[in-house]
Amino acid sequence: MPQLIDGKKIAAEIKDELKEKVSKLKEEGIHICLAVIQVGDDPASSIYVNNKKKACAYIGIESLAYELPEETTQEELVSLVQKLNGDAKVNGILVQLPLPDHIDADAIIRTISPDKDVDGFHPESVGRLCIGAEGFVSCTPAGVIQLLKRSGIGIAGKECVVIGRSNIVGKPMSILLLRENGTVTITHSRTEDLKKVTGRADILVVAIGRPKFVTKDFVKAGAVVIDVGMHRNADNKLCGDVDFEDVKDKVSAITPVPGGVGPMTIAMLMYNCVRAAMK
Ligand code: GUN
């Protein structure tokens, strides 16, 4: 059996460290507050938002929930974000994605003050990440780095291959691996001979968004495989972008789904909120 990278346990450790930090900050009179905005009532978004609120309550961060109707206009959302930008009590602002089609999500993200951009999606945060300056880092890729580090897996000098080039996962993931001195390749739907490229990876991060896409013929023996995917199959069971059963006997370490990368996203959001308050 490979090493199972236990995201649930590592996320719990991070949340406990943050809880302690927040209680010390409280003694110094620093109170932390996250504003969470949801537009419409997409059931998956409601679950994510609820989990974020629960994590805030556990750690000792105040959460302000804005549950806005589907018909909310772009102008109304922009003016709420501007109001929260100017509210000294609010340290972090999170607008849950996806937004309804009539709202320009990029414009909303650009409205969030980079000082309160706990999702790390603002172009200034992304630019800072690219040049190695201080700034908020997108939570899922930041969580993957923590999973590797806290599982004793070295990144420096390793062949790291990322499947997927999204702004939220693939691109920031590759920059973070580079920052840790990995040798990084980004692959995507137009990559020729994908298996040949992924077969070089010491560390393979899969964020392609297709259930059980990666089988054992994509991985080198002894590789570390990180699965960012999350899907529900026909019998309502969760699975990732990696065919876990097919791959598990060939690799040295792997994240399960559920219980791998998923819990890390919220833990890193909480980390970003604490950082926002300490700025
Ligand atoms: N929707 C799915 N994941 C995320 C996330 O990490 N942040 C936000 N704002 N929306 C999401």
Side-chain angles (χ1 to χ4, degrees):
M1 250 318 251
Q3 176 187 355
L4 260 191
I5 301 175
D6 190 344
K8 217 169 147 181
K9 179 164 155 262
I10 295 171
E13 276 167 23
I14 292 173
K15 285 192 277 185
D16 283 336
E17 289 163 18
L18 291 171
K19 190 181 165 110
E20 217 177 297
K21 176 102 199 152
V22 168
S23 105
K24 288 205 180 102
L25 288 172
K26 265 192 191 141
E27 286 166 19
E28 296 168 28
I30 298 172
H31 176 88
I32 310 180
C33 175
L34 170 68
V36 182
I37 304 171
Q38 183 182 354
V39 183
D41 51 9
D42 172 60
S45 288
S46 300
I47 293 172
Y48 286 132
V49 164
N50 251 330
N51 287 339
K52 288 169 188 178
K53 287 194 259 180
K54 269 195 232 161
C56 282
Y58 177 76
I59 289 167
I61 295 175
E62 181 186 1
S63 61
L64 301 177
Y66 293 86
E67 282 148 21
L68 308 180
E70 180 84 19
E71 314 75 66
T72 303
T73 64
Q74 168 107 7
E75 292 69 31
E76 286 168 331
L77 189 53
V78 164
S79 70
L80 172 59
V81 171
Q82 284 169 339
K83 187 185 86 156
L84 295 167
N85 281 341
D87 185 342
K89 179 187 160 204
V90 173
N91 305 102
I93 303 170
L94 183 146
V95 180
Q96 186 65 27
L97 302 177
L99 286 166
D101 289 343
H102 66 275
I103 295 179
D104 176 356
D106 287 339
I108 300 300
I109 289 167
R110 282 196 303 272
T111 307
I112 298 171
S113 161
D115 289 335
K116 300 189 179 188
D117 175 36
V118 286
D119 256 331
F121 293 168
H122 191 286
E124 183 169 326
S125 304
V126 178
R128 287 176 165 271
L129 172 64
C130 287
I131 62 169
E134 275 265 311
F136 293 109
V137 178
S138 179
C139 302
T140 300
V144 170
I145 297 292
Q146 285 301 309
L147 280 182
L148 292 169
K149 286 190 169 173
R150 290 176 184 242
S151 303
I153 295 164
I155 302 168
K158 295 287 168 61
E159 282 268 7
C160 304
V161 176
V162 179
I163 311 184
R165 55 173 158 181
S166 71
N167 289 337
I168 292 179
V169 183
K171 282 182 202 148
M173 186 74 255
S174 58
I175 304 284
L176 284 173
L177 290 164
L178 182 63
R179 197 159 89 175
E180 298 296 332
N181 301 308
T183 301
V184 184
T185 305
I186 311 174
T187 65
H188 46 79
S189 54
R190 303 285 291 272
T191 299
E192 284 181 15
D193 204 349
L194 180 60
K195 286 179 186 170
K196 186 173 154 208
V197 182
T198 60
R200 290 204 308 255
D202 299 310
I203 298 173
L204 178 63
V205 180
V206 191
I208 192 172
R210 292 201 224 159
K212 299 192 182 181
F213 178 81
V214 167
T215 49
K216 63 174 180 288
D217 42 337
F218 283 79
V219 301
K220 179 168 85 174
V224 173
V225 175
I226 306 290
D227 188 352
V228 181
M230 174 80 88
H231 313 273
R232 230 171 245 289
N233 65 14
D235 41 325
N236 214 29
K237 268 187 74 179
L238 289 171
C239 74
D241 288 351
V242 177
D243 187 338
F244 184 91
E245 285 304 316
D246 193 57
V247 159
K248 72 178 195 313
D249 293 324
K250 194 172 178 186
V251 299
S252 62
I254 185 166
T255 56
V257 175
V261 174
M264 295 300 291
T265 301
I266 291 188
M268 298 317 289
L269 172 68
M270 298 296 105
Y271 173 83
N272 281 348
C273 290
V274 174
R275 263 194 59 195
M278 287 167 65
K279 271 187 166 211

